[in-house]
Amino acid sequence: MTLEQTQKRIKELTASINQHNYNYYVLSNPTISDFDFDMLLEELQKLELEFPQFADENSPTKRVGGSITKNFETVKHNYPMLSLSNSYSREEIADFENRIKKLIDGEIEYVCELKYDGVAIGITYKNGKLFRAVTRGDGVQGDNITENVKTIRSIPLQLNGDFPEEFEIRGEIFMPHKVFEQLNKEKEEIGEQLYANARNTASGTIKMQDSAVVAQRKLDSYLYFVLGENLPFTTHLEAINKAKAWGFKVPLEENNFIKKCNSIDEIFEFINYWDTARHQLDFDIDGVVIKVNSYNKQQELGMTAKSPKWAIAYKFKAEQVKTKLLEITYQVGRTGAITPVANLQPVLLAGTTVKRASLHNADQIEKLDIRVNDIVLVEKGGEIIPKIVGVEATQRDIFSQPTQYIKNCPECNTALIRTEGDAKHFCPNEWGCPPQIKGKIAHFISRKAMNIDGLGEETIDLLVDKNLIKNSADLYNLRFEQLFNLEGFKDKKVQNILDGLVQSKQIPFERVLYAIGIRFVGETVAKKLAKHFKSLENIRKASFEELIAADEIGEKIAESILLFFENESNKEVIAKLEQVGLNFSLSEDQLANTSNKLEGLTFVVSGVFTLFSRDELKDSIEKNGGKVSSSISKKTSYIVAGENMGPSKLQKAQELGVKIIDENAFLAMV
Ligand code: IVH
């Protein structure tokens, strides 16, 4: 390909990938297989790497993230980010409508839409390209989180059609329930405290330093407000429809997410509909927003100091019901954590029948003085699991006694412990308590760990219940007849499991390390540990100081690793797993860290780095097939820049248009 052809191909690929992203993430209507999509993306990635001079700052390859923002720059909003006046009753909505009727002559059109309970964002586009994304902050200035926002696939990087030269669009970023639940499932697997709700998780995610992690979190967006000078529309609804044509994910009339209303009755109809239908959405809303449609009328109505007079939010009440607490039971989690559960007289709440509610821990029961047979107040707010928020103490039987928290594990009868600082009680019988045994093995076989074909959690439960296995190492001793004798296990299924176990011996060390289930050692930590220590033996031998000297290993993780290797049962299982032949150290290739990923590329290294010494960086370039050069020329593909890169180098790089990357971006390349 000539340079010209290459540039053309990069443009074609970019346009095509952008369109497919739009089809998938905005229209929910993909027209290409995942595989074909990945091929296009891979081709673009390769070309951009080889011809960085043609790589666009807003290329769809940015969606995977990789840049690190240490401190988010504070920027002033072009237009202050106002809030809405809130209302909680229909009367207040009627007052709002009456006020407007008095101020404005003639018919008034309203637009009702959902009030998204996410994180507010203002995104500026210049010449159709995403230029900057800023959080609300204090309304006057916010944080520049552009790189993180670029990873959100429903937010276009490049617009289509007749967009204004420059404008800002505002909306909300949120985490879909499905993503939130999956994330919590993963947290549970590694024994970490769960996130409380999707909103806070979205808000924490969008401010993370590593945009690659943000990309994995699969945030989504709805945009609902266009601002700028001389915009080509006269009503809010027109603006929304235009924004849709440019490529934004906006509320659609066909989903009833937005509706033109000509009377107060139609407004109430919209509110009533969503007061119940909201429970079926895959994201949180906390109300409905009512806006005057016409921009002229909006201007006529004007503002108060804090909010526009042409709009109002109607907030839904967190739904509450009363019901009877029948029994308190106690669940033992995979890590041995005890969760008290309220078993309730079934009651309809927020669109579903609620039979159980979490009571969190002993303190919560004591604080609310919750007792069996009480009439309790159950609420479902932003949290997914309903909670008990109060007790009707006056309706209580005079013989009622305060709840005695259990002292022994309901599964294995071991005395429970409660460590200082922990809200929860724990069962310490890690290797003898059935849910803990099952949990450990289920984690071991899970997709991101050993990923053993044919084995699922149900089979693990069955194998533990039948006493065929007590730990993950026992899996490798299972014999054909043992499995074949189980109900529903045919030839093919049994062989599949046994083959899966054999294949799992190829799983690389970092995943084995994750699979053995050290508390707080998730996927990422396992990778860092594997890279730093290279073998399980080295990790086992490491002192506290040596552990915390490794990248991203804090005191909590180090303590947990030491505790893990002190435990006799852990030692036994580890020894058996090693005997079976699992990978307990990095492979030759991993050790040599060789690849041809940088073939054909020339690098100049400048400045001081935090992750590498300069020599290590050069070494890594060469081991991955790249060339290192000391001076910048037209042939330089990349400059890897650390702190204090020389000003003359910087100037030369800019003159020649050579791409400058930091050490994290380099790491992502190899
Ligand atoms: S309009 C000048 N529409 O709620 C008013 N805001 O409490 C511009 N919000 O600041 C905002 N959904 O962060 C508008 N459909 C919607 C909304 C919405 C959620 C947020 C937004 C706003 C806050 C006010």
Side-chain angles (χ1 to χ4, degrees), residues 358-370 388-389:
S358 166
L359 290 169
H360 302 289
N361 52 48
D363 290 347
Q364 181 75 4
I365 295 178
E366 203 183 308
K367 197 171 103 197
L368 294 175
D369 187 18
I370 300 171
I388 293 186
V389 291

Side-chain angles (χ1 to χ4, degrees), residues 82-84 86 113-116 120 136 172 224-225 289 291 308 310:
L82 300 170
S83 56
L84 293 168
N86 284 327
E113 54 194 71
L114 304 182
K115 184 163 173 5
Y116 303 92
R136 168 198 299 280
E172 216 86 357
Y224 47 67
F225 193 22
V289 184
K291 300 172 180 173
W310 46 262

Side-chain angles (χ1 to χ4, degrees), residues 189-200:
E189 271 185 13
I190 58 166
E192 283 192 5
Q193 184 156 10
L194 305 192
Y195 292 120
N197 60 52
R199 206 211 81 89
N200 292 358

Side-chain angles (χ1 to χ4, degrees), residues 418-514:
R418 190 183 194 182
T419 347
E420 224 188 278
D422 261 339
K424 292 204 164 193
H425 286 71
F426 277 86
C427 166
N429 185 17
E430 247 190 286
W431 291 100
C433 181
Q436 298 192 61
I437 299 175
K438 288 175 184 170
K440 277 186 208 300
I441 308 176
H443 169 74
F444 182 84
I445 61 155
S446 65
R447 202 171 45 84
K448 288 180 175 169
M450 303 303 283
N451 191 21
I452 298 173
D453 253 2
L455 273 181
E457 289 191 24
E458 269 175 41
T459 309
I460 297 299
D461 288 353
L462 185 68
L463 294 174
V464 174
D465 290 341
K466 295 267 175 205
N467 239 333
L468 289 173
I469 55 172
K470 287 199 180 59
N471 56 53
S472 46
D474 290 345
L475 286 169
Y476 294 89
N477 294 333
L478 285 170
R479 280 171 290 115
F480 191 92
E481 321 78 74
Q482 286 177 314
L483 292 168
F484 192 68
N485 284 336
L486 296 171
E487 210 186 301
F489 280 62
K490 303 234 167 65
D491 265 17
K492 217 172 157 192
K493 183 165 172 176
V494 174
Q495 201 50 51
N496 196 14
I497 294 176
L498 294 175
D499 290 348
L501 284 160
V502 172
Q503 276 160 17
S504 75
K505 296 179 187 173
Q506 305 302 324
I507 296 285
F509 171 50
E510 63 271 18
R511 277 176 54 190
V512 176
L513 183 57
Y514 169 64

